[in-house]
Every structure is written in structure tokens, then in C-alpha cells.
Amino acid sequence: MPTTPSAREADPERVSAPGWEELKETPPPSLLRRFFTTHRHILGLLAGALVAHVRRVREREPERARGLRFALQRAAAAFYRLFLDKDLRDLPFPVQFRRRLEILGPTYIKLGQVLSLRDDLLPKEITDELKNLLDRLPVVSFERFLELVREGVGRPIEEMFSWVDPQPLGSASIAQTHRARTVEGDDVIIKAVKPNIAETLRRDAVLLKIFGSFLELFLARFQPRRVIDEFVDYTLKEVDLRREADNAETFAANFRDVPDIVFPRVYRQYSGERVLCMEFLDGFPPTSPKAALLSDAERDKLVDIGAVAIIRMLYKDGFFHADLHAANLLILPGPKAGFIDLGMVGRFDDKLRRTLLYYYYCLVMGDSENAARFLTAVAEPGPRGDPKGFQREVEEISRRWFRRAGSGGVSIAQLIMESVSRAAHYRMYFPVELVLMVKALVTFEGVGQLLKPGLDVAKVSQRHVSRIFIAQFSPLRLAKETLRGAPEVVDALVKAPLLITEGLRYLETMTQQPRENPLNALRGSVMGGFCLVAGAILAASHGPWPLWAALFALGAALFLRRTS
């Protein structure tokens, strides 16, 4: 352990945390002021886009730099250039976009990080640039951090921790982390939400939703309102650190039978809504030089553990780490794999989880046709969407990738990314959960390549995904799925006598009535046929027998009425 001062004896000279820019704590701006600031940067971005477009055409496509239309664009760009920030106006548009998001602060940096994943909606040059957004943001002073912890938990620091490191471990857009030791002697990590962040996020969320509705009028193809709504929902949840604590405990419960996959223990007694205290996992990231010292057997084990973790999270539990990158993975003694920073998670409902399981299974088995079919089933067509065209395109992409596959195998993550990136062209929209899934797979594949260059991810995945795929059809699982529908079956059984009695009574009444006009008879035959067909479908699908029996009875009554 480093010899740093205790929380009660912090060195005043170290409060500013050397090597870190200190956050200037000011009250959050009013909604109106924030609106004008955001509006100014949006207008600057639009003007910068025009300036960058004109410059790019003149430099790279001189044959297009002719005619009245380009002359007007050039004149407008020259005018707008006078009002643009000198440090930004000569930069390419993707760089301007990134820089303005950084200037606007934490909410927009977080938005840019989410947009960097949306290869299905944005051009690659923009998503690539957004991956360079700041990940080392200004920190609050050590004294202020201790105040945040004290206020967040409602207890004096001395009652909780015998030592807190004045040097931050990390500082992201929402929270700041420090190492510490509890009074019981356990090594932990303390994570605290920065001051005024929650209020700033809420105000920015209002503005972003307004902006998303405005963009929807002009860029409906890219679903801006939906993307922003998803972002706001995920980000506001991250501010409540109790959710991260819940996530950590859920992951630990899901993997309690896999001791080689570790999630940090949560110290609830030292945590609150804005403060989280978690076990310190003493390991190193896969990018560390220490990883080079691992033996081949240890590397093989870690790759296999990673495959188990990712495939099980995605396709068995439907609950997965949605902010997965190399810094959030740790190699622990054993070796074991540790997962940290669990604030952002993705969830699949049963239907989506099964569809994506079948999609991934088809990919690793080389079944291009069915892989394309299942991926298309996940997407939602937008206005003038072309699902059939998208399915043909994805099938062709998959066939091309499998034909190119050499001895090193296919990059499954890159194959999925290329398939998903074609969605915007066919006006198809994917849920954000699928994009987060792709990020998890890209991370697993990238880390796997670091540990085992030339890794065949498809081959490694086949055994694990096949086990989960076959488990879908085990008698025990099918029995459990059947029991989930038990309340509806019981309800149908309770109502069955009444349905059958009413059907027979109607049959008796209809047979005693005089013949009606032909149109009524025709209506009766149509309704009777509908009831008989519906009853047959229910019977064939093993639906509740009282319900299909009642439908058969009602259908027969209507047909008898037709011939009475």
C-alpha cells in the first residue's frame, strides 16, 4: 500500500491532486442560459459544417466546385467564417463536433461517447473521431471529495475509513474515484458523483429532448429523437449510484457458480445515492506490460473465461456490462477475470435475447442466410424502410466475410459492425441494446487478440454458445416457460364452463329460431368459420383446451344457424 496520509491528516499541499486539472465548482447555469449556450454551439457547428464542406470540395473534388449552387455555398461559408471561433473553423467537421461537445461539458461528452458507438446511424469518420473524447476530466479537490462522501453517506469519514488516497484514481463526466481502506481494514474504492452534475444533467436532458424533436423534422432517417431519449434514460440512471450497487450484486449472483469471474463486493453501509463504496480488485488491465508475462496456459484460460462471461451475459442472462472496454477489465491472480465500473448495463427481454442468441449462433456456425434473417427481425423499419433489401445486404456481407476467412478465422465483431452499419441506408433502426452488445463483443475480441494474436473468436465461441443454445430446449427450461403462463391457463380453466355453457345455450336458441335473410346467414357462416379456425389454431398450438373447445362450440352454433 502507498504511504499516503489518512483522511484526517491530509496534506493541504496535495489537495489539488498533481497532474489533474481542478474543477471550478460553480452553481449550475439556469435553463435559459444553458439554452442559449447550447444554441450558440449548435449554430456554430452547422456553420462549421458548411465551411468544412466547401473546403473539402475545393481540395478533393475540384470538378464539383463549379456552378451557381457551389458559388452560393462558398459565399455563405465565407460570411459564416467571420463569426466562427478561430481555433475551430479550420478543423475538419468531425473534429469540430468533438471539440464543441467537450466545451459544452459532461452531458455532451457522455452523449458523444454514446454516439461513437452508433456506426449504424452516423458516418464512420464521425464515430471514429468521437472515440477520442476526453476521458480524464477535471477533479474536485480532495477536501471537497471528502465532503461529498460525508454528505452522501451521512457519517463522519473517521467512522468509515482509516485512510483515503488524496490522488484520484479516475475522473469521468459524472463521478470521481479514490482508493481507501475501511476501518475494518478492507481495501476499497470510493466513487462520488461530482457536485451539481445531477442538476446539470436534468437541465441538459430537457434541452436535448427539444433539440431531438427539432432534428426529427429534418433528419428522421437517423431517428435523432429516439437516440437522444435512449441516451437521457441511460445517463440519468447513472447518477444514482445505488443502481450500480444493484448491478454489481446482480452480476455476482448470476455468476456465483463461476469462481473465475469476479465482481467487486459492495459495502452498503458506506454507500448512498451519490456515493458508492466497493471492494478494490487488485489486478491489472490486459493492456498492462504485466500481461506479457502470462504463460500460454494462463492466456488460454483468460480467453476462455472472457468468452464464458460475454456469451453468458448476453445470451443466457440478458443482463450485460454496457460500458465494456479494456480499462474496465482486470486480470486477477489465478488467473481470474474481474469486471469493474458497472454503472451502465444493458438488458434484453426474453424475445430479443433469444433472437440475438440465434443470430450469434448462426454467425459462429457460418449460416449466413439465417443470420441475416434473425438480425433483420431485431431491426425496426423507419419511414420507407426496406427490410427485405437490408436482409439481402446482410446475407451478402456475411457470405463475403466467410469467403474471406483465412486461417485466423472471422472477426465476428467486425462482421456484426459492418452489417449493422448498413441499417441507415435501408432506413432500419436497431435498439441501443444491440449497439451496446456489439461494443461488448468488440472489447472481448480486442482483448482476446492482445492475449492471443490470431485468435479465432468464432471457434472459441462455438462451444459456449452451443451449450446455451441447446439449453433453450431442455425439458426443465420448457417446463419453467410453461409455468410462467400458468396464471393465464388457470384463468381460462375457471372461465371455461361459462364459455361452453353460453355457446351451447346460443346453439339451442339459434336452432329454434326461424330462418333469417341470406345476408344474416352469410354473416353467421363467416363468424362461425372464424371461430372454428381460431379454435383449430389454439388446439394445434396446444393452447388452453377450454378456450378452443368453447370457440368450436360457438362456431358450430353459428354454422347451424346458417342451415336452420
Side-chain angles (χ1 to χ4, degrees), residues 401-522:
W401 272 78
F402 289 129
R403 284 197 299 266
R404 288 206 312 250
S407 58
V410 175
S411 170
I412 294 295
Q414 295 298 325
L415 170 55
I416 297 175
M417 286 183 66
E418 183 171 342
S419 300
V420 168
S421 67
R422 299 298 297 157
H425 180 75
Y426 292 93
R427 299 181 183 273
M428 303 289 286
Y429 181 84
F430 284 107
V432 67
E433 288 80 9
L434 181 127
V435 180
L436 298 174
M437 179 199 82
V438 174
K439 182 183 180 183
L441 292 173
V442 168
T443 300
F444 163 61
E445 195 167 284
V447 171
Q449 292 291 347
L450 278 176
L451 295 173
K452 295 285 291 183
L455 174 70
D456 187 341
V457 173
K459 185 176 180 181
V460 171
S461 301
Q462 281 178 4
R463 176 165 52 91
H464 302 297
V465 77
S466 296
R467 184 183 299 118
I468 295 174
F469 181 80
I470 293 170
Q472 300 291 304
F473 309 103
S474 70
L476 180 60
R477 185 178 183 86
L478 292 176
K480 288 181 179 178
E481 292 292 331
T482 302
L483 286 175
R484 289 176 62 182
E488 288 79 6
V489 175
V490 171
D491 187 58
L493 288 172
V494 171
K495 295 178 180 178
L498 178 62
L499 288 171
I500 295 174
T501 301
E502 289 296 324
L504 293 174
R505 184 178 297 151
Y506 185 74
L507 170 63
E508 182 180 358
T509 303
M510 290 300 102
T511 55
Q512 294 174 359
Q513 288 183 0
R515 184 184 298 273
E516 297 180 1
N517 65 63
L519 289 178
N520 285 342
L522 178 60

Side-chain angles (χ1 to χ4, degrees), residues 164-269:
V164 180
D165 190 349
Q167 285 285 3
L169 264 184
S171 178
S173 54
I174 292 176
Q176 179 173 324
T177 56
H178 288 247
R179 283 192 63 180
R181 185 179 297 119
T182 67
V183 291
E184 295 86 2
D186 297 334
D187 291 331
V188 296
I189 298 293
I190 309 174
K191 182 175 185 178
V193 175
K194 294 178 180 178
N196 301 319
I197 286 293
E199 182 62 28
T200 300
L201 287 175
R202 282 192 288 269
R203 292 180 181 180
D204 285 343
V206 173
L207 298 178
L208 282 170
K209 288 189 174 184
I210 295 172
F211 183 52
S213 299
F214 172 74
L215 288 179
E216 193 77 20
L217 301 174
F218 307 99
L219 300 171
R221 172 181 176 181
F222 299 105
Q223 304 273 342
R225 184 167 56 190
R226 188 166 182 173
V227 171
I228 287 175
D229 285 346
E230 289 172 344
F231 161 75
V232 167
D233 180 57
Y234 269 94
T235 304
L236 291 179
K237 287 179 180 177
E238 281 193 77
V239 179
D240 187 347
L241 297 183
R242 293 172 299 186
R243 290 181 179 273
E244 182 169 351
D246 293 339
N247 296 339
E249 291 175 346
T250 300
F251 279 122
N254 289 345
F255 285 87
R256 60 182 174 272
D257 60 328
V258 189
D260 289 334
I261 298 174
V262 180
F263 298 90
R265 170 191 167 198
V266 176
Y267 291 75
R268 290 280 186 175
Q269 69 272 32

Side-chain angles (χ1 to χ4, degrees), residues 97-232:
F97 189 24
R98 174 182 61 81
R99 288 287 296 116
R100 288 191 183 275
L101 290 175
E102 291 173 344
I103 292 169
L104 282 168
T107 306
Y108 293 87
I109 291 174
K110 192 74 177 177
L111 175 61
Q113 291 168 346
V114 172
L115 291 178
S116 70
L117 307 175
R118 300 310 304 247
D119 293 288
D120 59 320
L121 296 176
L122 299 174
K124 191 174 186 301
E125 57 268 23
I126 291 180
T127 57
D128 285 348
E129 181 60 37
L130 292 180
K131 289 179 174 65
N132 298 320
L133 280 161
L134 292 174
D135 58 1
R136 184 183 168 99
L137 297 178
V139 299
V140 299
S141 68
F142 180 52
E143 286 184 340
R144 182 65 176 120
F145 179 81
L146 294 180
E147 287 179 12
L148 293 173
V149 175
R150 186 164 46 244
E151 294 167 1
V153 183
R155 296 174 61 180
I157 294 292
E158 308 85 56
E159 290 185 5
M160 300 183 287
F161 307 105
S162 61
W163 168 79
V164 180
D165 190 349
Q167 285 285 3
L169 264 184
S171 178
S173 54
I174 292 176
Q176 179 173 324
T177 56
H178 288 247
R179 283 192 63 180
R181 185 179 297 119
T182 67
V183 291
E184 295 86 2
D186 297 334
D187 291 331
V188 296
I189 298 293
I190 309 174
K191 182 175 185 178
V193 175
K194 294 178 180 178
N196 301 319
I197 286 293
E199 182 62 28
T200 300
L201 287 175
R202 282 192 288 269
R203 292 180 181 180
D204 285 343
V206 173
L207 298 178
L208 282 170
K209 288 189 174 184
I210 295 172
F211 183 52
S213 299
F214 172 74
L215 288 179
E216 193 77 20
L217 301 174
F218 307 99
L219 300 171
R221 172 181 176 181
F222 299 105
Q223 304 273 342
R225 184 167 56 190
R226 188 166 182 173
V227 171
I228 287 175
D229 285 346
E230 289 172 344
F231 161 75
V232 167

